[in-house]
Amino acid sequence: MYDAVEEFLQSQINLIPIRYSYSEIRKMSKGFKDKLGEGGYGSIYRGKLKSGPLVAIKMLGNSKANGQEFINEVATIGRIHHVNVVQLIGFYAEEPKHALIYEFMPNGSLEKYIFSREESIPISIEKIFEISLGVARGIEYLYRGCDVQILHFDIKPHNILLDENFIPKFSDFGLAKIYPTNDSIVSLTTARGTLGYIALELFYKNIGVVSYKANVYSFGMFPTWVYGQFSKGNDIELEDALEEKKKIVKKMIIVALWCIQMKPSDRPSMKKIVEMLEGEVECLQMPSKPFLSSSPVRPTGDVGDNLNSTSSSFQ
């Protein structure tokens, strides 16, 4: 795997991120003293560049999988620059260690704001909507804005980081795949991603082919009980909420429900999703029930996204 990593790096003629030495990494992290998090990939530490900006340093483990994750990260975000994708500043690649250096996101991940029960982490409905729109634009860019299409395959609140202005940025491209822009069907041997966010076609081939619509599904994850609430004509309980806030919430829920339609062909494109979020809620229609009652796997956790009942308009 280390040979594969080095061969990959040598093949990247126009590589933008800087290659650092281990001593430079250790110095910018002050001896890896300030740990920000830890996972199956390794550990993340706070660091600081000589020029002043703070960075997040992801030290990868020694497994073959982490070697492939390193290649995926550098191959994807190492070649693009977008306001809704975290910037890869540099890397370290010498046996037996690998490291990735990203811009520092002071407000952490979206997960702690929408799943936390702590009252000390407030976030407004308007801000959640802005974040949702930013995430949608980021996914659309990965699909249509690059010279290739990048499928993330692990879109979830944990991998959406927030900068000082709460602008959302995609991170963790370890499971990502790159395809030519003219390829609409993706070839995968196994399902990839996090349970509860993986599109059903990755498990059940008879539902439809695997495509960028799998990312649409992940974007739409919201609690499934909302569908029942709205189909009965009930409003979501929002204490002291103004009518405008209720409209924002309803819009996000309707869009979310469209995104989690079982068949990929029934889900809107990311371009359509952005249009829906930017448009008026009165123009949106409620989609069909996202899951069949006899469906053998019903994702747990959050879900979301949606629009028109005519699948041809979503392509």
Side-chain angles (χ1 to χ4, degrees):
M1 178 51 64
Y2 297 111
D3 292 339
V5 168
E6 191 58 41
E7 182 180 349
F8 162 75
L9 292 174
Q10 293 298 327
S11 68
Q12 302 301 299
I13 301 175
N14 298 318
L15 196 61
I16 299 175
I18 301 170
R19 186 166 189 166
Y20 291 97
S21 66
Y22 183 73
S23 61
E24 289 174 314
I25 297 289
R26 185 174 179 82
K27 186 174 182 180
M28 70 173 66
S29 67
K30 295 184 178 180
F32 307 104
K33 290 182 179 180
D34 190 357
K35 182 183 285 189
L36 299 174
E38 189 170 358
Y41 51 79
S43 302
I44 298 180
Y45 301 88
R46 187 197 306 264
K48 189 175 183 179
L49 300 178
K50 285 183 179 179
S51 55
L54 293 174
V55 293
I57 304 170
K58 180 193 284 188
M59 297 297 298
L60 300 176
N62 298 327
S63 71
K64 180 178 180 179
N66 281 333
Q68 186 59 53
E69 177 182 320
F70 175 90
I71 291 175
N72 287 350
E73 293 267 358
V74 177
T76 52
I77 57 177
R79 64 191 297 167
I80 62 177
H81 186 74
H82 187 265
V83 65
N84 296 120
V85 178
V86 68
Q87 183 182 358
L88 179 64
I89 296 173
F91 63 90
Y92 164 76
E94 295 292 342
E95 190 174 352
K97 298 180 183 295
H98 292 144
L100 296 161
I101 299 92
Y102 305 94
E103 60 177 321
F104 182 70
M105 296 287 103
N107 282 312
S109 71
L110 177 59
E111 178 265 344
K112 74 176 184 179
Y113 293 93
I114 63 176
F115 293 144
S116 175
R117 296 182 179 179
E118 300 177 22
E119 296 183 1
S120 59
I121 311 181
I123 185 168
S124 68
I125 294 298
E126 292 86 351
K127 186 59 66 176
I128 290 177
F129 174 75
E130 290 176 9
I131 291 171
S132 299
L133 185 55
V135 172
R137 287 170 175 162
I139 298 176
E140 169 65 6
Y141 173 78
L142 294 177
Y143 175 59
R144 294 186 183 276
C146 313
D147 56 348
V148 293
Q149 58 173 310
I150 300 173
L151 303 190
H152 191 284
F153 284 116
D154 201 17
I155 295 173
K156 57 183 179 181
H158 310 65
N159 290 336
I160 304 298
L161 304 182
L162 305 170
D163 70 6
E164 63 275 10
N165 297 314
F166 281 86
I167 293 175
K169 296 177 183 285
F170 277 104
S171 69
D172 202 341
F173 283 71
L175 297 180
K177 297 278 283 184
I178 300 176
Y179 294 90
T181 54
N182 57 350
D183 282 4
S184 59
I185 299 177
V186 176
S187 176
L188 290 176
T189 55
T190 58
R192 52 176 59 199
T194 302
L195 288 177
Y197 296 90
I198 304 176
L200 299 183
E201 61 268 23
L202 272 72
F203 293 106
Y204 301 100
K205 304 304 180 185
N206 61 321
I207 291 177
V209 298
V210 178
S211 68
Y212 77 97
K213 291 292 185 73
N215 282 349
V216 172
Y217 181 95
S218 299
F219 173 75
M221 291 307 290
F222 244 83
T224 54
W225 60 264
V226 235
Y227 185 90
Q229 293 292 315
F230 268 93
S231 63
K232 296 174 185 176
N234 299 334
D235 280 334
I236 299 301
E237 293 184 12
L238 293 173
E239 295 183 8
D240 303 322
L242 298 175
E243 190 62 31
E244 195 60 35
K245 287 188 178 182
K246 290 183 179 180
K247 286 184 178 181
I248 292 175
V249 172
K250 184 174 182 179
K251 181 195 296 187
M252 288 192 290
I253 291 173
I254 295 177
V255 172
L257 292 171
W258 274 108
C259 288
I260 60 171
Q261 292 295 300
M262 179 174 287
K263 294 182 179 180
S265 59
D266 290 339
R267 301 171 203 154
S269 65
M270 289 311 304
K271 180 180 179 180
K272 188 67 177 180
I273 290 168
V274 172
E275 292 176 359
M276 293 161 62
L277 289 172
E278 292 178 335
E280 299 297 327
V281 68
E282 291 80 7
C283 298
L284 303 183
Q285 300 176 27
M286 183 63 73
S288 301
K289 188 175 182 179
F291 304 106
L292 296 177
S293 57
S294 60
S295 176
V297 280
R298 186 168 180 170
T300 58
D302 305 322
V303 294
D305 199 7
N306 112 332
L307 177 63
N308 226 317
S309 57
T310 307
S311 61
S312 62
S313 65
F314 293 156
Q315 305 309 310

